[in-house]
Amino acid sequence: MADVIGSALKRHEDVRLIRGKGQYTDDIKLPGMLYAGIVRSPHAHARLVKVDVSRALKMPGVVAAFTGADLKDEVGFIPTAWIPPDSDMKMPPHPALAVDMVRYQGDGVAVVIAQTPAQARDGVDAVEVEYESLPAVTNPFAAAQEGAPLVHEDIAGNVAFHWKVGGDVEEIFNRAEVVVRQEFRQQRLVPNAMEPRSAVAQWNPATEELTLWATTQNPHIHRLLMSGILGIPEHKLRVVAIDVGGAFGSKISCYPDEIIVSWAARRLNRPVKWTETRTENFTVTSHGRDHVQEVALAGTKDGHIEAIRVKTYANLGAYLSTAAPGVPTILFGLIVNGAYAIPEASAEVYGMLTHTTPVDAYRGAGRPEATFLVERMVDLYAHAINKDPLEVRNINLIPAEAFPYTNPFGLQYDSGNYQGALAKALEIVDYAAFRREQENLRQQGKYIGIGFSTYVEMCGLGPSEVAGAVGFQGGLWESATVRVHPTGKVTVFTGASPHGQGEETTFAQIVAQELGVPPEDIEVVHGDTSKIAMGWGTYGSRTTVVGGAAIHLADQKVIAKARKIAAHKLEVGEDDVEFEQGIFSVKGLPARAVTFQEAALDAYLAWSLPAGMEPALEGTAFYNPENFTYPFGTHIAIVSVDPDTGDVELMRYVAVDDVGVVINPMLVEGQIHGGLVQGIGQALYEGVEYDTNGQLMTGSFLDYAMPKARFFPKFETAHTTTPSPHNPLGVKGVGETGAIASTPAVVNAVMDALAPFGIQDLPMPLTPRKVWQAIASKGGHMHVHDAI
Amino acid sequence: MFTTPFDYRNAHSVQDVIEWLQEDPDNTKILAGGHSLLPLMKLRLSTVSHLIDIGQIPELQGIVLSDNELRIGAFTRYVQLVRDPSVALAAPLVAEAARVIGDLQVRNRGTIGGSLCHADPAADLPAALLALGAELEIAGPAGKRREDIDSFFLAPFITTLAPGEVLTAIRIPRIAQGARSIYLKRPHLASGYPIIGVAAWVVLRDAQVDSCRIAITGIGSVPFRAFSAEQMLVGQTFTRDVILRAAEQVASDQSFDDDDDGYKANLCRVYVTRALAALGNQG
Ligand SMILES: Cc1cc2nc3c(=O)[nH]c(=O)nc-3n(C[C@H](O)[C@H](O)[C@H](O)COP(=O)(O)OP(=O)(O)OC[C@H]3O[C@@H](n4cnc5c(N)ncnc54)[C@H](O)[C@@H]3O)c2cc1C
């Protein structure tokens, strides 16, 4: 059998998913099931004067309707699960249904439960709500200003927390030869998973157990949080994530909707389903990013960066979502020096409450916000000292011999060869030739630009001791059980909860390689708290890094036991047995052999086991990672800008990523492509807008520009391989690199193209109108000049 | 997403539709391809009690080419416009515009009549039909009438169609012999609807403009003809300078909403220029 690890196996899960045979939460139909519709505030900020469900109750098919007042005494507030240390965080109460105030457009005020989804929808319209509309604030910087409307009366200045790390950099800034300052706006994004959220709850009065099927990335975290909120003991609560159609962070959070259906199912003793509409997905499912950043960089005239200082106003929305406070702090502030050996750094974050949809992790979660600012600052610094941005990168990138490298905040970067990845990218793009062509085209009034992003990110969070130290209210280890059946077939149980990434395939590859069992003999089970003892889910590019490592450890336990059984059968000492490609053989006597499958059968028959050995063959492991992993690489974007229209065309995109050992190159490629599209989407197309009243102006695909396939050239991808020394597989995460690296590469490229106009920065997304305005305001082309 | 409750009737003649529309005119709507109406109903921006499906009325279907005119039934789907050989022959602009509407699903469902009656200021087809000087056949309780498309669009989503009237067909004069035509669309990044769509044709005789038409959709509150630019062009040699002046004329004739920065006027200039320049290069 050839190596399974490293081969581009087709996705096992696709056999069902692309034939329409997947089972999603909304596909669940239970006898007697009812449907919930949620009445949502049209106002961003209003006092609830009256919520009257009496008319709804008379509507055909309506079975029940509840308001915040009904839930108030039975359902606890929804907590956040991340409390940044030393931040004096204040957690505003978040009821599942609003009681006297609504704090963002979409905040729930009542639920109507009916026989059919359409009747529930009609019932929603029949609920009479009287609002007293109040002024709203949506921008995190504006929310911090004197006199801004308060989101929660008890939280002064709308500051949920204030967090600061790093040294005192003032002295360096005072004496620096060059200081570059820039404000950046990380715009707000909608994650837009293809499958909207859904939840089905069923109460079993006999066993007093509640089962919740939900679109979640982390069923065990859901169970933990919901148990507290609903007062149902953890062993009586089962949370199941069947097929989940994408998330990008938006299905981490414990949402009001899931709590409402759970409570209602018990109250009514009938199963209750709720499925969000696309409109709700835009308005109430967590958003991503949304920072106002003030950044300063100090350096020498000859290109050595000495310090970076960041002050950020991070928008958290109206309430603190599950992972929200950790995203703009730990996952952002600690890595603002990026891939550069910057001796001193500091980061200060104001976690701001506003009258907007809660903000939580979104693909990259914190690292894109950090990578963007440092990659942009390097370019601005290069411009300020009149040097090539590539030269400045070469001067400041952490050298390969410096690993493991401790960054100014104490993070230990595991392994890297940043120059290696850059060199590989420059084999693909002929930089000198590009600059020549750029100059020629400028003479003809045509503008092309190149942008680099020599990024590093951190993912696969752990160890759990660190999770605790940084305020995450959970562990960040992962569990795995590898259960070998009597026939030698294998079921793998993982505590990670993949939802589109393809680990049913990747994990089977790890097991196939290590046990020598064909991949088709292996089934991977995930996402059900009744089947998997404990696990922490899928996010932060942790699944293969941490979950895969746990499987590796479980495999080792299985092999160790099977080896003993084989040795017993072969009547030799354990040390005389070799195990390769699924066969135990006596060293030097390959004909004397026992297959893995035979050993498995022996383990279950237990007719003749080594003395004292328990029957059966399975291994369970709990892997607590030693550290984060730090994927890195070089991305290069080449764009052209049409000065007549402001159109930016992405001409080439080169991504050289080092994600350590690659288990399935096709899946890695897919993750990178998807990440690139989202990262480039942020640079050029996507962005949430609110009006001054807090109304979402980009609440549908008519106004919110999702990137389309036709916007992109063929991506040119390549790899270098620097295994992570921290985990037994040598893997690093890959789920987010594309989204982290690409945004600044593209913006740097556009700014490079616009350099002749004296334009150095524009806020994202770089829409044609914005680019055209900038050119026009610099006296650029107001007339049509293209070739006729 | 669920609509409010409604009842649904399938009409078999235009007469059915006219009669049924009169029963409850305020709460009744004609259903054609449904690609504008149904999303509105699902978002509950439109609440309709009765839907009359016009998909099975023979009088509203078919494309017929006669000597000097193309007659297209109102219930002709975009995909048929794209594929029909007589459209390609007599009104290639219509096929060209239909080809870039939405995506394949939209083109498989949407109809020419639905597009016109819905009167979305950002619909593609009106530009092509204005440029071709189409005439609309309309039937109502008072009988049949014909209307020039130039006067049909009153405001966004409002036409001269009276309640109870049905658009039955679109008549398009055969495009002039030797005409070069183009539909140039700038799709919105999110919706794919045109931010601006320029439909134009020109007949050149010895490099001089013999006749031409320019119509523009997307950027104004209704689709419009660029009359003064058309007049300006006739008799001129079709040079870069002349094209630029014509484009300038189009942009300055119009006033655009939400255009303090002049971006829309600029797009108008750029797209008219590009469309005309492409015609110049077609020869
Ligand atoms: C995803 C998507 C993308 C789209 N992209 C584009 C695009 O790029 N460009 C574009 O131009 N359009 C686009 N559209 C709109 C599409 O072209 C619609 O199909 C069209 O606007 C309406 O045609 P219809 O046949 O679907 O009409 P319907 O939705 O059935 O009806 C629209 C309206 O017209 C009335 N009506 C229909 N037929 C008649 C008639 N014969 N007489 C009287 N009244 C009538 C109806 O009562 C209704 O009020 C898009 C739509 C979708 C859903």
Side-chain angles (χ1 to χ4, degrees), chain B residues 29-30 32-37 78 102 106 110-111 114 123-124 167 185 192-193:
Chain B
K29 280 241 173 226
I30 288 172
H35 264 48
S36 290
L37 182 56
Y78 301 138
V106 176
T111 67
D124 285 295
L167 175 66
K185 170 176 181 172
Y193 280 72

Side-chain angles (χ1 to χ4, degrees), chain A residues 83-135:
Chain A
I83 303 170
D86 307 319
S87 68
D88 191 23
M89 193 178 90
K90 298 171 194 72
M91 202 190 307
H94 183 192
L97 285 175
V99 179
D100 44 25
M101 286 282 242
V102 285
R103 296 187 169 88
Y104 67 99
Q105 184 193 6
D107 211 352
V109 297
V111 58
V112 177
I113 296 166
Q115 309 274 7
T116 70
Q119 288 168 336
R121 181 67 187 80
D122 290 341
V124 163
D125 275 1
V127 174
E128 290 164 281
V129 189
E130 204 179 302
Y131 299 94
E132 181 196 329
S133 166
L134 298 166

Side-chain angles (χ1 to χ4, degrees), chain A residues 117-118 121-122 125 279 642 644-645 647 685 701-705 708 711 768-769 772-773 782 784 786 788, chain B residues 1-2 5 43-44 186 188-191 193 240 244 258-259 261-263 266-267 269-271 273-274 277:
Chain A
R121 181 67 187 80
D122 290 341
D125 275 1
T279 307
D642 179 344
D644 291 340
T645 57
D647 285 342
Y685 315 118
F701 291 131
L702 279 176
D703 340 275
Y704 186 91
K708 322 257 185 319
F711 296 178
R769 189 167 192 160
W772 180 85
Q773 278 172 357
M782 290 291 288
V784 183
D786 59 303
I788 297 179
Chain B
M1 295 200 160
F2 298 97
L43 290 166
R44 299 200 170 201
R186 177 180 178 80
H188 186 274
L189 284 173
S191 71
Y193 280 72
R240 175 193 154 91
L244 286 174
D258 178 30
D259 199 36
D261 59 355
Y263 185 61
N266 174 67
L267 281 184
R269 252 188 320 259
V270 171
Y271 273 76
T273 305
R274 288 182 181 178

